[in-house]
């Protein structure tokens, strides 16, 4: 790993703006390998050098990767003048690190939302060409058409002419159904269920690719992805690419 400026590394870890970090350095509050460092432009090796700010050790990451159990009532955005956003659920340190949501869930939708500082990761998961699957559990009013699952499987055409890719609709009994999509059109689950006779009353995303929402996360809680979880999402991306290229995989 090439060396990087101390202030750039600390800013990426959410320790503050470059200006704030310069002030912390002047105040003698930053250490590198246990020694006070007053020069924020000093070059360090972020993978090897041990950093601390205000006595708190910082663990180096090139990027942040989080899963959040999004509660209903917050918007999927980095900022909003009037409404609470998913970033308001995170500590300031992460907001300052430049984290953003991967895709979006409606304000009234709950469940698994990924957030990252890694633009390439976010872009790859969102790319329509990758077809990363997303699993939702919906509650609905109304009675679904007897051929609803078959119409999902064939690729539904919505009332406005939008053509959806083949999807899975699995009745779970009563007013509940599991829906699996490999794309993310605006209000897609709600519009697809509407097309087969259901009005969504509650929606929750359970899984993205191979990654399920951690059941230990209460609504509003988040945790970092483990390395194996992040790697599995990457494998999914390769799988989708290979499928597109006609390479079969078991
Ligand atoms: N489909 C919807 O209708 N809403 C969401 O938030 C996600 C998928």
């Amino acid at each position: 790993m090439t060396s990087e400026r101390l202030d750039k590394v600390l800013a990426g870890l959410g320790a503050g703006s470059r200006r704030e970090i310069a002030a912390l350095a002047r105040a003698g509050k930053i250490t590198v390998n246990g020694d006070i460092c007053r020069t924020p432009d000093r070059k360090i090796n972020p993978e090897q050098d041990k950093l601390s700010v205000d006595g708190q050790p910082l663990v180096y990451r090139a990027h942040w990767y989080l899963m959040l159990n999004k509660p209903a009532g917050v918007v999927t955005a980095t900022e909003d003048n009037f409404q609470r956003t998913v970033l308001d659920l995170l500590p300031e340190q992460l907001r300052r690190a430049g984290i953003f949501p991967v895709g979006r869930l409606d304000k009234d939708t709950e469940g698994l939302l990924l957030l990252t500082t890694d633009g390439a990761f976010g872009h790859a998961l969102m790319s329509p060409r990758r077809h990363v699957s997303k699993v939702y559990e919906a509650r609905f009013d109304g009675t679904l058409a007897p051929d609803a699952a078959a119409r999902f499987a064939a690729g539904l055409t919505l009332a406005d002419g939008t053509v959806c890719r083949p999807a899975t609709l699995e009745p779970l009994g009563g007013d509940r159904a599991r829906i699996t999509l490999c794309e993310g059109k605006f209000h897609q689950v709600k519009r697809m269920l509407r097309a087969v006779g259901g009005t969504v009353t509650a929606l929750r995303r359970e899984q993205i690719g191979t990654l399920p929402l951690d059941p230990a996360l209460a609504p509003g809680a988040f945790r970092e992805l483990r390395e194996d979880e992040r790697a599995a999402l990457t494998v999914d991306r390769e799988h989708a690419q290979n499928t597109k290229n006609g390479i079969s995989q078991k």
Side-chain angles (χ1 to χ4, degrees):
M1 159 130 223
T2 54
S3 61
E4 288 189 50
R5 280 177 60 127
L6 175 62
D7 54 0
K8 179 166 179 270
V9 172
L10 289 176
L13 293 174
S17 65
R18 298 258 186 124
R19 185 189 292 255
E20 287 164 343
I21 289 162
L24 287 164
R26 276 196 304 278
K29 295 195 167 170
I30 295 176
T31 64
V32 178
N33 299 321
D35 298 326
I36 290 176
C37 174
R38 296 182 193 273
T39 47
D41 59 350
R42 169 177 165 182
K43 291 288 179 70
I44 59 156
N45 180 335
E47 286 182 351
Q48 286 175 5
D49 292 325
K50 303 269 175 275
L51 308 176
S52 83
V53 175
D54 243 346
Q56 298 299 314
L58 294 183
V59 178
Y60 177 71
R61 300 154 176 83
H63 285 292
W64 292 93
Y65 303 91
L66 306 182
M67 74 157 75
L68 169 74
N69 185 358
K70 179 192 173 295
V74 295
V75 293
T76 309
T78 51
E79 54 187 350
D80 190 285
N81 286 339
F82 304 105
Q83 308 183 78
R84 284 186 85 211
T85 74
V86 289
L87 262 67
D88 292 326
L89 300 168
L90 305 180
E92 198 189 347
Q93 183 202 2
L94 287 172
R95 298 203 298 271
R96 285 193 307 219
I99 203 151
F100 61 88
V102 178
R104 70 182 291 280
L105 292 175
D106 296 338
K107 183 175 174 184
D108 57 359
T109 301
E110 303 179 354
L112 176 58
L113 183 69
L114 297 174
L115 297 111
T116 187
T117 54
D118 182 349
F121 174 81
H123 184 263
L125 280 179
M126 285 308 299
S127 167
R129 283 174 295 155
R130 305 269 186 173
H131 309 313
V132 176
S133 64
K134 287 134 201 144
V135 182
Y136 297 87
E137 189 177 318
R139 286 185 176 269
F140 56 90
D141 282 341
T143 305
L144 301 188
D147 62 349
R151 289 170 62 194
F152 267 56
L156 255 182
T157 301
L158 302 176
D160 66 355
T162 303
V163 178
C164 300
R165 289 186 165 274
T168 308
L169 173 66
E170 194 186 332
L172 297 176
D175 66 346
R176 293 165 54 233
R178 181 174 299 123
I179 296 100
T180 305
L181 308 179
C182 61
E183 56 186 344
K185 298 186 195 304
F186 185 62
H187 294 333
Q188 187 164 355
V189 172
K190 292 171 184 164
R191 292 195 294 156
M192 287 180 83
L193 275 177
R194 174 56 71 93
V196 295
T199 301
V200 170
T201 55
L203 187 60
R204 177 181 162 83
R205 184 155 66 192
E206 302 284 356
Q207 189 160 332
I208 297 175
T210 52
L211 181 73
L213 176 65
D214 185 335
L217 289 179
F222 71 92
R223 69 161 172 81
E224 280 191 80
L225 292 189
R226 298 190 311 265
E227 185 52 44
D228 61 307
E229 292 172 327
R230 189 153 61 85
L233 285 171
T234 310
V235 168
D236 247 24
R237 282 147 56 184
E238 283 165 4
H239 172 80
Q241 195 62 40
N242 287 341
T243 305
K244 180 174 157 267
N245 294 340
I247 302 165
S248 88
Q249 295 187 341
K250 288 274 172 246

